[in-house]
Amino acid sequence: MTQAREHGGDHRPTRLFRSSAAAAPLLPVLIVLVVLLLDLADGAGMIWLPLLAAGPALAATTNGPRGVLCVGLLAAGLGAALGIRDVVPGPALAAVLGALVAVTLASALASALRGRRERVLAAVRSVAEAAQHALLKPVPATVGPFQTAVRYCAAAAEARIGGDLYALIPTPYGVRLIVGDVRGKGLPAVGTAALVLGVFREAAYDEPDLLDVVDRIERSLARNLGGDDFVTAVVAGYPRTGQLEVVNCGHAPPLLVRAAGDVVAVEPTHPSPPLGLRALHDQTPSLQVLPFADADQLLLYTDGVTEARDRGREFYPLVEGLTRHVCDEPARTLDALHDELLTHVGGRLHDDAALLLIRQPAAAGDCAAADSAAEMIIPHPVAPVPLRRDQAV
């Protein structure tokens, strides 16, 4: 799921593709006419007449059954006329026309089956779209005091959703967010992602302490996951002005962009295991508290971004890309990163990829507007969260 792009682009390739798609149904007729011209120029009917079957055969890929039958009827009529003109022997002409009729009928059946598969695929896509909106809910451009943007790409393009997850919600304890990556792919990964997001949305609103939110997710996964399954995730919160809390559970470090443009990786001070594996380790998650001032930004992402390779097997340099494209509009920043990422891999990702960017507006007017929007969403004041002994700055 992606937010709408806010800046213009070159739409000429799109217009060209649409024009080509609109002209495709006429291609079978063009082939029949080319065969007609070749026969009229050469006069050797038995050489060119069998090629008329290419018209209805190709029509099966671009037209419906009615269109295929029309192209076949046109080819048969022209074939009969050319056969008579070129004095083709009766048995030979009958064989050519019989083969043409057989190809036309088979192509019409293939066209009908193709249309049925396309309708089924369209229905599956609509269901996937609905599931995507239920699982990965759209993120508005402003949440609490932050400007926000999200870009998500599933490796399985037809599925629309995958094992990466994200959520950003306002709570009585400040804005809280999560970005994670489920081990594995397919429906099991989607089910685990749905479980994590469901628990997070409940716990984030109920638990004053961010570590307790992580504990709730851990306990749920321990009951529901297999021994080899796990979820890497970064859970963050903004309990008070100027402070950002981060809990990293085996995930790629977020990137903190300071107002001056410096990009810093937020490495965990005490590495923690992924969610679902705590029983196998003696480490417990730790809370980092970071200063988060006006015009600062935080980018959370999944390994589908940093492990994307080009043809030379080189990884995508996310830090360098963010440094090049960061601006004061998160949507524009992620648009540029997303486009550059797709260019780097040659147009198609081989793993799910998610990007979530938040920015603290620098202008006082923008902050006031954002605070007003937050009050409309959250009727309760933001409660202060006491620091725990295992917090680190």
Side-chain angles (χ1 to χ4, degrees), residues 29-350:
V29 177
L30 179 61
I31 290 179
V32 172
L33 295 179
V34 168
V35 174
L36 170 64
L37 294 177
L38 289 174
D39 184 84
L40 292 176
D42 186 62
M46 283 306 299
I47 295 178
W48 302 110
L49 288 184
L51 293 180
L52 291 171
L58 181 60
T61 66
T62 59
N63 298 66
R66 182 179 301 177
V68 173
L69 293 175
C70 290
V71 174
L73 181 61
L74 173 64
L78 290 177
L82 292 174
I84 294 173
R85 172 186 175 275
D86 298 333
V87 195
V88 175
L93 181 59
V96 170
L97 295 179
L100 183 56
V101 170
V103 170
T104 299
L105 293 177
S107 300
L109 177 60
S111 176
L113 295 176
R114 177 184 57 82
R116 182 179 179 182
R117 288 194 298 269
E118 288 178 349
R119 289 190 294 272
V120 171
L121 179 59
V124 171
R125 282 178 172 174
S126 65
V127 172
E129 190 76 20
Q132 181 190 48
H133 282 282
L135 179 60
L136 302 175
K137 296 181 179 179
V139 174
T142 301
V143 177
F146 299 126
Q147 298 170 284
T148 64
V150 169
R151 296 293 178 270
Y152 181 86
C153 289
E158 304 301 339
R160 305 290 180 94
I161 53 178
D164 287 4
L165 58 97
Y166 66 84
L168 191 152
I169 57 175
T171 76
Y173 312 104
V175 173
R176 287 176 169 175
L177 56 148
I178 183 174
V179 168
D181 188 357
V182 179
R183 176 185 178 273
K185 294 180 173 62
L187 290 178
V190 174
T192 302
L195 173 64
V196 172
L197 289 175
V199 176
F200 170 77
R201 287 175 179 136
E202 288 294 324
Y205 205 87
D206 294 340
E207 302 290 349
D209 194 320
L210 194 64
L211 284 173
D212 290 335
V213 175
V214 177
D215 288 342
R216 286 266 295 267
I217 300 174
E218 175 68 34
R219 291 196 299 270
S220 179
L221 290 178
R223 292 192 302 268
N224 292 280
L225 289 188
D228 296 331
D229 296 327
F230 59 86
V231 179
T232 67
V234 171
V235 182
Y238 190 72
R240 60 184 62 83
T241 301
Q243 265 189 11
L244 196 67
E245 297 179 342
V246 177
V247 180
N248 192 327
C249 299
H251 198 75
L255 298 179
L256 181 62
V257 185
R258 293 302 185 188
D262 301 329
V263 179
V264 181
V266 184
E267 298 286 352
T269 54
H270 301 287
S272 304
L275 296 168
L277 296 181
R278 190 182 300 181
L280 304 178
H281 299 77
D282 56 0
Q283 300 103 329
T284 57
S286 61
L287 192 71
Q288 291 177 267
V289 179
L290 309 173
F292 200 67
D294 288 350
D296 285 352
Q297 304 187 53
L298 186 72
L299 176 67
L300 287 81
Y301 56 93
T302 60
D303 60 8
V305 177
T306 53
E307 295 182 2
R309 296 174 182 259
D310 60 10
R311 293 183 178 179
R313 307 301 294 169
E314 295 291 332
F315 292 113
Y316 174 68
L318 178 59
V319 174
E320 291 82 351
L322 182 59
T323 303
R324 281 192 299 271
H325 300 299
V326 67
C327 66
D328 57 0
E329 296 182 28
R332 288 180 55 195
T333 300
L334 291 195
D335 277 343
L337 285 176
H338 180 263
D339 292 344
E340 188 173 85
L341 177 63
L342 292 181
T343 301
H344 181 80
V345 300
R348 181 177 180 181
L349 293 170
H350 298 286

